[in-house]
Amino acid sequence: MAEVEETLKRIQSQNGVQGIIIVNTEGIPIKTTLDNASTVQYAGLIHQLVMKARSTVRDIDPQNDLTFLRVRSKKNEIMIAPDKDYFLIVIQNPSD
Amino acid sequence: MKKSSLVFNSSSRAMNTSVAGHQVSQSSRHKWNFAGSQTRRNSILVGGSNRKRNILDRNANQAPRKPVRVLDNDGNDVTPLPLYHAEPGDMPSKPGRFLDEIFSSSESDQLKSTSSFNMRSFGSFLGSSLPSSLSTTASMTKGTEDSVPKLDIPIIPPPPCGQRKRDNVKQHVTEEMLDDVVDVCLTETDTISLFDLPPLIFMSEDADDTKAIKERNLQYAELCKNRTGNDKYVERSMQTFSGAPKEKQIQTDKIVMVDEGSTIGSLLEMETCSLNAESNPELIMLTESFQHSLLVMERSIVANLFQPKLAAYRQLPIIKDPDSTVKPETEEKSEEGEESSSSPTLERLWAFSCELTRGWNITCMVWNKENPDLLAVAYGDCDSTNQKPSLICCWSLKNPTWPERVFHCHSCVTSLDFSANNPSQLAVGMYDGTIAIYTVQSRNNIHCIANSSECSKRHLKPVWQVNWSKQEITLSGEDRVEALVAVSADGRITKWLLCSNGLECIDLMKLKKTKNSKKKAVESKKKTEHMGSALTPGLCMDFHPTDSSVYLVGTWEGLIQKCSVANCHNVLETYQNHFCPVNSIEWSPFSPDVFLSCSSDWTIQLWKQECLTPVLSFTSAQRAVYAVRWSPNWSTIFAAINGLQVEIWDLNLSILHPTIVHQAAPGVTVTSVLFSRGTDCVLVGDSEGQVTVYQLKNLSVGQGKQVDSLEDIIGSAVSRYL
């Protein structure tokens, strides 16, 4: 547990990382470093996106599954590690 | 008496009289709302009776018009009297009375035949008609009893006066009439409503949609009215085909039912439940997959940050981030810098460093044999007075900010080597003479899988180098057995084997002291007497790249001895030139006969195997050279460190001066150097715990065959001697 906490701290302290959100299967954020409103917004929107991405991957090949999703935008990059129990979301601005 | 006959009167509505050729007497017509129903009732009743008796018999008995006569032996006419006569108007009927008791109305009209028998004879009495009045019921009853004692059903009895009528009727019935075709017409009565109960939906007058509902009701009533005769409504009958059913049997797994009970606690428990919800995130965070996700995430983040550097390392084109907000000033500066450096130089890419390793002295660096991205670095201070614990970190190129594995050792680590057969095994040689084998595979399990501390023949002095070397070819021709060979300061070269108890060692060679050849004879005596003190520390060793039974050892005395694994007493060759300890020795990866050695006597020597004197000698700074490494990519390039600077020598360009000299930062000593295969980068470890990755820039390396160029140089050098 301490190691996990340490890793999260390290990730948070990396250059340009704006926030980390951990969401459970129901879409409820269980750990976050952003403010409440942003967290809820990210959690809801990303949940839908991941579902869509996952179904896309599986439609193309039913034996395949989504393991990682990166959304690069003008201002930042959202990285999502989906799993059946949780979503791990990190928002980073790499040019900082 | 009126002539009476079976009267088939038409109903007041739609029906046609069906009896042709018979007297039909009109009857008074009354409204007969209920009579019709009575009729039907009667018909049912009478019909029921018919089932009991033969229809024909019945008809025979009933119809007075039938010319059937039953005569007994005496000739008396004992034709059974008809059960019923339909009298116009004044025949009371028992059933009528019966039914009248049921239905309150007394109005009825004469009849209606709804006979359904299509017989030649007249239809039956089933279409019985009902007399209207009730008055003659009693008389009828009497008659009934006489005529039809057998019947149980309250059939309308013929009135007593009906006998005469019957006679009359009989007279009229002739034989011809038998053959007459009697048309019996079946018609349908109108729908008779027996009971009308208006909808009992109680609507409160106050309800909002009462009006709407009432309107809809009215609309619907009108719709029903308009339905008849409306072209819009068409009645049609349809038939659906029912397919032949087919039985098919399937089997399913039994549905497992599990009883589960749960209790809903009180509010107190609800509060604690909310706390439990928080512990769930911990559970999630402890799972293996979450940790893996974290790992991937961290690497992705770091990859974002280090992307240009890693791309340069891997010799990929560096794509500029179109969205980056780098200021134009810095771009100008970098452009200027590029213009000026057209000479060979080391360009710093990044450094592996973290909080954990800051300030440690790096002693050894080694690449993994299978995964070229994995680097093992040993940190420690080799101080003979203080046995300080040291660190081994395994770094991955994918994350230069934090090591993948961290091992703590009790003593200063002096040497590392990854195994080739088991790529996850890392051999560690330590300052206190311990040799250990670590496994880097899993994060959580035990790391040290073998330790030489229990071995009786272990080294008691520092182990300066460990090497995995593939030795014998097994009989089956599989992978060659790998042996761990260590060189120690106690003068022994030992071969270690991993067995079930731990590590076991065999002495391969003992490094004997040899001072001058003149004193050899004296020394040899001493050797036999004092084996322990007659050994000279070995500082470095290297196995021949192709012939793994041959290896070179550099000793503290400055000798380089070529030994064979097979021969543990005698050396094959001794190369003597250095007069200070030989710090590092390495065979050339391209040319099998050539090796380099460096020593604390400020020199680097290039040797050829057959020649006992060095072919080339390099000196640049007046400082002890601690390490020398050939480049695995180019045959004429090697790197050397001498404490304050890193030198890259390119023999193509110059054999007198190093091509690139890179000064370390002030106060920092450079302690270790390592080339990386496949890229033009070199790693430099220093005393601050940083492993810096430099890229060799602007080295004009020839495209020609590597071996040839080195040979050419050596050849030309040799020829100078001759």
Side-chain angles (χ1 to χ4, degrees):
Chain A
M1 192 59 208
E3 206 184 303
V4 170
E5 290 285 348
E6 214 182 283
T7 312
L8 281 171
K9 247 187 266 176
R10 269 205 320 270
I11 292 178
Q12 177 67 26
S13 63
Q14 289 283 357
N15 229 352
V17 171
Q18 289 171 350
I20 307 175
I21 305 169
I22 305 175
V23 182
N24 69 358
T25 35
E26 291 146 22
I28 302 168
I30 53 181
K31 200 169 167 71
T32 175
T33 60
L34 294 171
D35 58 284
N36 203 17
S38 311
T39 303
V40 169
Q41 193 180 29
Y42 268 108
L45 293 169
I46 285 173
H47 193 266
Q48 299 172 33
L49 182 65
V50 170
M51 288 301 145
K52 190 71 185 165
R54 182 180 266 149
S55 70
T56 306
V57 167
R58 292 189 86 141
D59 280 346
I60 294 169
D61 179 10
Q63 319 239 307
N64 208 352
D65 196 10
L66 184 68
T67 54
F68 204 81
L69 183 63
R70 286 170 88 154
V71 182
R72 183 81 178 89
S73 70
K74 268 199 206 162
K75 293 191 183 169
N76 52 23
E77 179 165 357
I78 305 170
M79 286 171 272
I80 304 144
D83 188 81
K84 62 175 178 56
D85 294 328
Y86 61 86
F87 290 158
L88 172 65
I89 304 163
V90 174
I91 304 120
Q92 184 194 19
N93 189 352
S95 54
D96 270 352
Chain B
M1 264 315 162
K2 287 184 195 170
K3 275 193 184 174
S4 71
S5 60
L6 265 183
V7 175
F8 291 84
N9 288 332
S10 57
S11 71
S12 56
R13 297 233 191 130
M15 309 267 230
N16 299 323
T17 324
S18 55
V19 182
H22 295 285
Q23 290 182 356
V24 175
S25 60
Q26 293 290 327
S27 59
S28 59
R29 296 188 179 199
H30 295 276
K31 278 224 169 144
W32 54 282
N33 283 334
F34 290 102
S37 54
Q38 290 175 352
T39 306
R40 190 173 295 152
R41 233 0 121 90
N42 270 337
S43 65
I44 292 165
L45 290 172
V46 173
S49 73
N50 254 357
R51 282 183 222 120
K52 289 183 185 173
R53 296 175 60 169
N54 195 348
I55 293 171
L56 284 171
D57 288 342
R58 178 109 178 85
N59 286 333
N61 296 330
Q62 289 171 7
R65 300 193 192 98
K66 285 182 197 170
V68 176
R69 285 194 192 190
V70 179
L71 300 166
D72 65 8
N73 298 333
D74 301 330
N76 296 332
D77 186 3
V78 289
T79 313
L81 300 167
L83 284 172
Y84 169 67
H85 268 305
E87 289 281 21
D90 38 24
M91 276 208 313
S93 67
K94 201 172 179 191
R97 188 186 66 175
F98 172 70
L99 287 171
D100 280 345
E101 286 169 6
I102 300 171
F103 303 104
S104 51
S105 167
S106 60
E107 289 178 314
S108 61
D109 196 359
Q110 299 232 339
L111 149 264
K112 306 358 167 194
S113 30
T114 55
S115 159
S116 56
F117 293 103
N118 194 3
M119 305 184 64
R120 280 175 123 239
S121 49
F122 319 100
S124 58
F125 249 11
L126 296 183
S128 55
S129 56
L130 294 172
S132 50
S133 67
L134 296 165
S135 52
T136 55
T137 309
S139 56
M140 293 260 306
T141 315
K142 255 199 217 165
T144 312
E145 284 166 1
D146 295 338
S147 58
V148 191
K150 289 183 189 177
L151 280 177
D152 305 328
I153 304 163
I155 304 292
I156 303 166
C161 53
Q163 287 187 4
R164 252 179 255 164
K165 291 174 198 167
R166 253 179 275 134
D167 292 339
N168 293 336
V169 169
K170 273 185 206 159
Q171 289 165 13
H172 290 285
V173 176
T174 59
E175 288 292 332
E176 295 86 30
M177 292 166 95
L178 261 180
D179 294 329
D180 279 344
V181 175
V182 178
D183 292 322
V184 178
C185 183
L186 308 176
T187 53
E188 182 192 337
T189 61
D190 286 324
T191 306
I192 301 154
S193 63
L194 298 174
F195 187 60
D196 185 17
L197 182 69
L200 288 178
I201 300 167
F202 292 107
M203 293 183 304
S204 71
E205 294 296 325
D206 299 334
D208 292 333
D209 41 356
T210 302
K211 217 180 174 185
I213 293 171
K214 275 188 186 163
E215 272 182 33
R216 279 178 57 195
N217 287 348
L218 285 172
Q219 277 176 15
Y220 183 69
E222 278 195 30
L223 189 74
C224 291
K225 266 190 235 165
N226 292 335
R227 199 179 275 177
T228 56
N230 198 336
D231 283 339
K232 278 189 185 175
Y233 295 95
V234 172
E235 267 192 28
R236 238 165 73 167
S237 52
M238 303 257 293
Q239 189 181 30
T240 57
F241 294 112
S242 54
K246 181 173 160 185
E247 263 192 28
K248 186 159 176 180
Q249 293 175 349
I250 56 169
Q251 226 177 18
T252 61
D253 287 337
K254 186 175 175 187
I255 298 170
V256 176
M257 312 274 243
V258 173
D259 277 334
E260 214 173 290
S262 66
T263 55
I264 299 172
S266 61
L267 270 178
L268 251 184
E269 292 189 24
M270 295 265 289
E271 285 171 357
T272 55
C273 278
S274 63
L275 290 175
N276 285 341
E278 287 170 12
S279 72
N280 276 337
E282 292 198 7
L283 283 175
I284 292 174
M285 280 157 61
L286 282 171
T287 58
E288 188 78 37
S289 67
F290 187 79
Q291 295 181 8
H292 179 73
S293 297
L294 275 179
L295 178 77
V296 175
M297 186 66 78
E298 194 178 358
R299 285 188 180 180
S300 310
I301 294 168
V302 166
N304 271 341
L305 298 171
F306 282 91
Q307 198 272 333
K309 313 293 184 193
L310 286 175
Y313 178 89
R314 298 199 197 273
Q315 299 177 319
L316 295 170
I318 302 172
I319 301 167
K320 256 199 170 161
D321 190 1
D323 301 319
S324 71
T325 54
V326 174
K327 292 174 191 169
E329 297 169 14
T330 51
E331 286 184 17
E332 285 170 17
K333 279 186 192 167
S334 62
E335 282 175 15
E336 286 171 18
E338 283 174 22
E339 284 169 13
S340 59
S341 65
S342 54
S343 57
T345 182
L346 288 180
E347 183 182 317
R348 184 184 186 278
L349 292 180
W350 76 86
F352 289 100
S353 79
C354 64
E355 282 298 323
L356 200 62
T357 61
R358 197 154 296 171
W360 289 79
N361 179 44
I362 293 176
T363 55
C364 181
M365 299 187 295
V366 66
W367 287 109
N368 187 304
K369 301 259 165 68
E370 179 162 311
N371 183 356
D373 289 346
L374 208 58
L375 177 71
V377 180
Y379 303 81
D381 280 324
C382 291
D383 199 352
S384 54
T385 53
N386 274 342
Q387 289 283 337
K388 279 196 279 188
S390 75
L391 213 64
I392 303 174
C393 286
C394 289
W395 295 85
S396 166
L397 266 166
K398 294 170 185 154
N399 187 357
T401 60
W402 191 259
E404 301 292 319
R405 302 276 186 271
V406 177
F407 309 134
H408 294 270
C409 298
H410 60 274
S411 166
C412 176
V413 175
T414 55
S415 172
L416 294 173
D417 198 21
F418 268 109
S419 162
N421 273 356
N422 307 316
S424 63
Q425 283 184 2
L426 178 66
V428 178
M430 294 188 229
Y431 195 79
D432 68 348
T434 318
I435 293 175
I437 300 181
Y438 280 77
T439 175
V440 301
Q441 199 152 23
S442 118
R443 199 178 270 267
N444 301 326
N445 294 348
I446 303 167
H447 306 296
C448 182
I449 56 176
N451 201 312
S452 77
S453 36
E454 284 117 31
C455 179
S456 56
K457 291 201 280 182
R458 67 186 187 279
H459 296 288
L460 298 164
K461 290 217 179 144
V463 172
W464 289 114
Q465 189 149 356
V466 287
N467 258 345
W468 287 97
S469 161
K470 291 195 178 181
Q471 287 301 314
E472 309 102 35
I473 301 174
T474 59
L475 288 173
S476 51
E478 289 169 355
D479 269 350
R480 288 147 67 185
V481 172
E482 227 180 2
L484 178 62
V485 180
V487 159
S488 162
D490 61 3
R492 279 161 50 216
I493 299 167
T494 47
K495 175 163 125 178
W496 293 83
L497 300 160
L498 189 63
C499 36
S500 50
N501 306 348
L503 286 170
E504 290 296 324
C505 84
I506 306 170
D507 274 0
L508 280 184
M509 175 60 65
K510 292 190 169 60
L511 298 168
K512 297 163 192 128
K513 282 186 187 170
T514 52
K515 292 255 169 108
N516 294 331
S517 51
K518 291 175 189 174
K519 290 184 185 174
K520 248 190 190 171
V522 182
E523 289 296 336
S524 59
K525 283 183 200 166
K526 284 191 186 169
K527 268 184 258 171
T528 49
E529 291 167 19
H530 316 281
M531 278 303 279
S533 59
L535 296 177
T536 174
L539 294 177
C540 55
M541 67 177 292
D542 194 24
F543 275 90
H544 194 274
T546 48
D547 183 7
S548 58
S549 64
V550 171
Y551 57 94
L552 290 169
V553 184
T555 66
W556 199 70
E557 289 180 336
L559 295 175
I560 300 166
Q561 294 181 327
K562 183 165 86 170
C563 315
S564 165
V565 169
N567 190 341
C568 51
H569 295 293
N570 299 321
V571 299
L572 296 176
E573 292 281 358
T574 306
Y575 303 91
Q576 190 166 11
N577 186 275
H578 291 289
F579 47 88
C580 281
V582 178
N583 290 322
S584 183
I585 191 163
E586 196 174 358
W587 289 98
S588 165
F590 289 95
S591 189
D593 297 328
V594 178
F595 62 92
L596 264 181
S597 70
C598 73
S599 149
S600 302
D601 65 358
W602 308 345
T603 60
I604 304 166
Q605 311 282 353
L606 184 100
W607 305 76
K608 238 179 126 69
Q609 200 179 195
E610 306 86 40
C611 188
L612 291 178
T613 52
V615 174
L616 284 169
S617 172
F618 313 100
T619 315
S620 71
Q622 290 167 348
R623 234 176 269 115
V625 184
Y626 288 111
V628 71
R629 290 265 183 274
W630 283 103
S631 163
N633 307 317
W634 301 287
S635 66
T636 57
I637 293 180
F638 63 88
I641 49 170
N642 59 12
L644 291 183
Q645 61 197 33
V646 181
E647 296 169 356
I648 310 284
W649 293 75
D650 185 356
L651 297 177
N652 260 332
L653 291 181
S654 161
I655 57 172
L656 295 176
H657 300 289
T659 314
I660 306 172
V661 176
H662 181 89
Q663 298 282 349
V668 176
T669 55
V670 180
T671 54
S672 172
V673 71
L674 185 69
F675 273 98
S676 71
R677 186 179 288 272
T679 82
D680 54 356
C681 293
V682 63
L683 281 74
V684 176
D686 59 20
S687 60
E688 285 299 309
Q690 294 220 349
V691 178
T692 319
V693 181
Y694 292 95
Q695 192 178 23
L696 299 167
K697 285 221 135 235
N698 303 322
L699 273 182
S700 53
V701 188
Q703 288 295 318
K705 275 195 188 169
Q706 304 286 347
V707 180
D708 289 344
S709 51
L710 185 60
E711 294 287 333
D712 289 342
I713 295 165
I714 293 169
S716 63
V718 170
S719 63
R720 265 186 246 140
Y721 284 114
L722 302 172

